[in-house]
Amino acid sequence: MKEATAKITVAEGVFYNPKMKSLRDISVAFLNALELPDSGKSLLDSTSATGIRCIRYAKESGISTLTAIDINEKAAKNTKKNLRLNHVKADVFNIDLEKFAAEHDAKFQIIDLDPFGSPSPYIRDIIKLSEDDTIIMMTATDTAVLCGAHLKACVKQYGSTPLHNHLCKEAGIRILINHFIRKAAEFNFGTEVMLSISDMHYMRIFLRLKKGAENAYASMLQTGFGSYCNSCSAYSYALGIAPVIENKCKNCNSRTKAFGPLYLGRLNQQDLLKRVLLLLSEESPAYKPIKTISEEHESPFFYHIPLLTKFIKTSSVSFTELSESLRKKGFQSTRTLFDPSGIKTDAPLPEIISSIKKLRSHNSA
Ligand SMILES: C[S@@+](CC[C@H](N)C(=O)[O-])C[C@H]1O[C@@H](n2cnc3c(N)ncnc32)[C@H](O)[C@@H]1O
């Protein structure tokens, strides 16, 4: 079978999902967009399965010092076979990532972590294998947990209260980042968030570690808590380890629900995203989602237009007409990959509501 530049065989009992090509396309484009210096770029594929990532990073991103590990013996053998098939050299180990991190002193400049389910149990291990400026690309597929379908599991795994509504994907990826930041800070690493994507059944975050106690502390200051109103769908957030959280909605006076802790900083570096987009073929399934997030307003969270029209008991308005109305008032607004019915904007809720009412009164006049 072929994926982009790689030829691979998939042995029985070894994981390969062709639908995840989009995520591998993004990872290759991300590494290329970084324009890392050639000297000594070393990459660890810490959950290699067929070895597809190693092969694509070697062939498409020019990474020459590669290590691949997998706990599954068949996967490690399959990785070796596929590397040979593609004439790519890598050190391959059939080992548990935890054991590898404990036994090896090596540090890597790039680490890919793509486990089954939650990456949480492996975060300490990959941090041990990191140094200043190490790039981490990490996937989570336990999205039901991060999106609040299993509240207790999220509290246990991520130490955070999730949301289970239209904001759950954004809250979930911010919970995942917060969790990483906290673990990295224990090892005196700050975390720079470079790219974050939540699509289909996965979340993937792209981070750069910055060594130093001050960097670790500065990253912790980017975390906080949110508050959500079930009645009118208003939200607010506050930075801090123990901030004061609103428990009454400023918009409709109903009781609100607190969620978090979670990361409240920027999810993406827009310049980097634009370079990633230029490197992706328009045929790639990754192109559309990356294009959407490259245009997204960077403020945390968004409003769900049908929930707002339901709250004010009016008929629906389209994203385009609402966005145009807000633009005329001097506010910015964009669509969001997190929800096709969402609007990300810097407009306060009363302005959005007044725009909807005005649009509806015009239409019915
Ligand atoms: C989702 S698959 C990886 C898919 C691959 N990255 C790709 O793009 O096709 C997860 C892999 O992690 C391996 N794995 C699970 N736990 C591990 C551990 N503790 N240490 C190393 N590998 C592990 C599994 O055997 C499996 O091959």
Side-chain angles (χ1 to χ4, degrees):
M1 151 175 351
K2 211 166 178 306
E3 180 182 301
T5 54
K7 282 179 270 176
I8 58 157
T9 59
V10 183
E12 210 187 314
V14 177
F15 182 90
Y16 172 72
N17 182 354
K19 283 202 187 126
M20 288 296 101
K21 173 183 181 291
S22 63
L23 214 42
R24 290 184 282 270
D25 288 354
I26 294 171
S27 306
V28 166
F30 168 79
L31 288 184
N32 290 338
L34 290 181
E35 293 174 358
L36 296 166
D38 266 351
S39 56
K41 264 187 283 179
S42 61
L43 181 143
L44 171 68
D45 182 353
S46 66
T47 42
S48 77
T50 57
I52 179 74
R53 283 172 193 258
C54 263
I55 295 164
R56 291 197 56 189
Y57 295 145
K59 289 186 149 184
E60 296 167 47
S61 303
I63 310 285
S64 51
T65 311
L66 292 153
T67 303
I69 70 171
D70 202 292
I71 197 169
N72 175 348
E73 193 182 347
K74 285 182 185 161
K77 275 191 184 149
N78 198 186
T79 294
K80 280 186 189 164
K81 182 174 172 188
N82 285 328
L83 286 164
R84 274 197 305 275
L85 197 63
N86 288 276
H87 311 288
V88 171
K89 285 204 167 62
D91 293 325
V92 182
F93 298 87
N94 170 213
I95 191 169
D96 184 340
L97 174 55
E98 186 181 356
K99 196 160 183 272
F100 181 82
E103 289 176 359
H104 288 74
D105 288 332
K107 305 286 179 204
F108 295 88
Q109 277 121 34
I110 307 163
I111 301 180
D112 193 310
L113 174 65
D114 179 36
F116 295 130
S118 174
S120 176
Y122 312 106
I123 293 177
R124 278 169 196 271
D125 301 322
I126 59 172
I127 291 171
K128 274 192 212 154
L129 295 163
S130 298
E131 60 187 7
D132 190 28
D133 279 336
T134 289
I135 300 288
I136 308 279
M137 304 185 281
M138 182 177 105
T139 316
T141 53
D142 58 335
T143 47
V145 172
L146 285 159
C147 290
H150 313 289
L151 170 75
K152 286 182 185 168
C154 193
V155 169
K156 182 172 66 68
Q157 190 77 275
Y158 295 101
S160 199
T161 302
L163 281 177
H164 193 39
N165 56 29
H166 62 281
L167 294 180
C168 69
K169 283 187 177 177
E170 181 165 351
I173 204 160
R174 290 179 180 279
I175 286 171
L176 177 67
I177 296 170
N178 167 77
H179 186 62
F180 185 95
I181 286 176
R182 287 179 175 228
K183 287 205 171 172
E186 288 173 28
F187 291 84
N188 273 337
F189 277 111
T191 304
E192 179 187 338
V193 179
M194 305 181 89
L195 201 159
S196 322
I197 180 161
S198 169
D199 201 19
M200 300 191 280
H201 68 286
Y202 68 79
M203 293 178 185
R204 181 135 160 115
I205 53 179
F206 298 76
L207 315 162
R208 194 198 306 266
L209 289 174
K210 300 302 290 178
K211 188 88 188 137
E214 283 307 315
N215 290 325
Y217 186 68
S219 293
M220 290 296 295
L221 297 183
Q222 300 226 296
T223 68
F225 290 81
S227 155
Y228 178 75
C229 174
N230 242 334
S231 252
C232 71
S233 77
Y235 57 80
S236 65
Y237 45 85
L239 284 164
I241 304 301
V244 175
I245 307 292
E246 309 280 351
N247 64 1
K248 236 183 194 179
C249 176
K250 279 198 180 130
N251 185 52
C252 73
N253 243 359
S254 304
R255 260 191 93 78
T256 56
K257 176 184 160 43
F259 59 100
L262 73 178
Y263 168 73
L264 289 168
R266 221 172 33 176
L267 286 177
N268 291 292
Q269 297 181 351
Q270 296 302 329
D271 290 356
L272 175 66
L273 263 180
K274 293 205 163 65
R275 294 202 298 278
V276 170
L277 192 65
L278 284 176
L279 292 165
L280 283 170
S281 139
E282 285 193 36
E283 273 77 62
S284 166
Y287 188 86
K288 252 176 99 174
I290 290 292
K291 184 159 176 16
T292 306
I293 58 175
S294 73
E295 290 163 357
E296 253 179 46
H297 194 269
E298 67 179 35
S299 56
F301 307 117
F302 57 91
Y303 292 101
H304 186 267
I305 300 172
L307 277 181
L308 290 179
T309 52
K310 188 175 165 204
F311 173 69
I312 54 180
K313 298 187 174 61
T314 187
S315 53
S316 60
V317 293
S318 71
F319 169 85
T320 313
E321 54 185 344
L322 180 55
S323 172
E324 180 55 17
S325 159
L326 292 172
R327 193 191 59 76
K328 283 186 187 151
K329 291 183 186 174
F331 297 110
Q332 295 176 355
S333 53
T334 67
R335 290 187 187 277
T336 172
L337 185 65
F338 291 116
D339 193 313
S341 301
I343 183 164
K344 268 200 184 253
T345 177
D346 54 359
L349 187 54
E351 288 289 352
I352 304 172
I353 290 177
S354 106
S355 277
I356 296 175
K357 285 183 174 164
K358 208 163 156 199
L359 281 166
R360 279 299 139 259
S361 67
H362 276 184
N363 287 6
S364 55

